[in-house]
Amino acid sequence: MSILQDFIKTGDWKGEKHVPVITCADTFKAGEVTDVTLSIGDAISHPNTAEHYIAWFKLFFVAEGSKNVVELGDVHFDSHGEANLFTEPKAVFSVKLPSSGKLVALSYCNLHGLWENVKEVTAE
Ligand SMILES: [Fe+2]
């Protein structure tokens, strides 16, 4: 039994500021580069301060019919006001996907934990 599954929250990003927004084409050509953008706060902004911030994103892919999840990448956001520097939680992953499947994004807020979003994509 997984412990983490009890702590990964989700919701509609339009109403919950912690849910990562997955922006990409709904359909793509298998094996060709396509861009997947992850962001936070597209509808409701999330704080970016030394006390409260989004620390990282991870992006996974689950191919249609597969029982395995594959990590595509991760990105850390390390500046939250120190010396008046800020890294905003937004990143573009350029990926080649072999088939239809599900893009799964995780975000981590230092105060509010893990948040997930899923987007189904279709290979042409
Ligand atoms: Fe938060």
Side-chain angles (χ1 to χ4, degrees):
M1 192 63 164
S2 169
I3 295 297
L4 277 181
Q5 71 183 12
D6 293 339
F7 293 93
I8 299 175
K9 295 163 267 190
T10 190
D12 184 343
W13 62 265
K14 291 174 185 152
E16 170 48 63
K17 65 187 174 203
H18 289 94
V19 175
V21 182
I22 303 170
T23 304
C24 64
D26 295 334
T27 61
F28 62 93
K29 289 194 187 304
E32 293 193 5
V33 174
T34 190
D35 285 349
V36 179
T37 300
L38 300 186
S39 56
I40 285 268
D42 291 39
I44 307 169
S45 67
H46 184 279
N48 188 2
T49 67
E51 296 78 28
H52 185 191
Y53 55 85
I54 301 298
W56 52 255
F57 291 153
K58 282 185 181 287
L59 181 64
F60 303 91
F61 183 69
V62 180
E64 197 171 66
S66 173
K67 294 195 184 324
N68 288 323
V69 63
V70 177
E71 183 177 3
L72 290 170
D74 67 325
V75 59
H76 286 247
F77 308 107
D78 295 331
S79 294
H80 311 287
E82 306 87 340
N84 210 28
L85 293 165
F86 298 87
T87 310
E88 294 297 329
K90 184 173 184 178
V92 179
F93 299 79
S94 293
V95 298
K96 294 179 184 176
L97 305 174
S99 66
S100 300
K102 292 177 181 164
L103 290 163
V104 184
L106 268 185
S107 64
Y108 178 71
C109 168
N110 72 313
L111 294 184
H112 303 110
L114 291 165
W115 296 80
E116 180 186 282
N117 198 4
V118 179
K119 179 170 181 169
E120 291 203 30
V121 291
T122 304
E124 291 180 328

